Amino acid sequence: DFHIRAGSAASGAGVDAGITADSDGEARPGLGGFDVGADELAPLRFDFGTPASPVEPDFTQVTHATTFTPERGFGWTYGTIASRDRGTGDLLHRDLCFTHTGTFAVAVPDGRYRVALFMGDAAAGHGQMAVFLENQKVAVVSTAGNEFVARAFETAVSDGQLTVWLNDEGGADPNVVINALTIEPA
């Protein structure tokens, strides 16, 4: 397996050799610049849900129990996290993780990134869900039951770790929900 992970020493350490696609057909350069080897670190895509939930193709599963480890390169670093699968809707929207306040981190090379969050719940509305990237509040999102929103932001990472903090700031429901997260070079 010649695939590399976020945080690998091969990430961003390559040069432009005139090759425009990697061994998987993904564009070069990928996440964080040209990588060493046959694989390019592709944009990161996470599908949040329960351990039994189906996962969107080309996405990585994240559950309430996915804690951050350096080897994994992503996961929850703080908070009490729970998950639900509503059993209805497409693969990205049928399931979710939720928390009153929680932090999710992803090891990435320093640089600028476009971060997209997908938020909503088929069964309930959620109000005043604050989203922070790198400790900067970028949005407060509210959704009605069976309403889903996608919000994209640009942020700079200078410590090798993209941090997404989700915090409930009020409303009738005390939780923030997340269905999916994507990260790509800005």
Side-chain angles (χ1 to χ4, degrees), residues 18-92:
I19 299 169
T20 59
D22 72 358
S23 58
D24 296 321
E26 295 167 331
R28 284 193 88 228
L31 188 65
F34 292 97
D35 299 332
V36 173
D39 182 48
E40 201 65 26
L41 188 58
L44 300 168
R45 298 175 184 102
F46 301 100
D47 182 352
F48 292 76
T50 70
S53 297
V55 179
E56 178 77 17
D58 298 323
F59 277 66
T60 299
Q61 182 179 46
V62 175
T63 74
H64 60 278
T66 306
T67 57
F68 183 89
T69 65
E71 297 77 29
R72 182 181 290 131
F74 64 90
W76 296 103
T77 61
Y78 174 79
T80 301
I81 315 300
S83 59
R84 295 285 185 273
D85 185 340
R86 301 300 189 194
T88 183
D90 64 39
L91 296 180
L92 277 185

Side-chain angles (χ1 to χ4, degrees), residues 79-145:
T80 301
I81 315 300
S83 59
R84 295 285 185 273
D85 185 340
R86 301 300 189 194
T88 183
D90 64 39
L91 296 180
L92 277 185
H93 297 105
R94 67 177 276 162
D95 53 0
L96 54 98
C97 284
F98 65 95
T99 182
H100 179 70
T101 186
T103 304
F104 187 78
V106 183
V108 295
D110 291 351
R112 291 198 60 77
Y113 294 94
R114 182 176 183 273
V115 180
L117 286 89
F118 302 80
M119 305 170 80
D121 184 349
H126 299 274
Q128 300 180 15
M129 300 182 290
V131 177
F132 296 77
L133 297 176
E134 297 299 288
N135 291 319
Q136 298 293 318
K137 185 188 282 188
V138 295
V140 176
V141 178
S142 294
T143 59

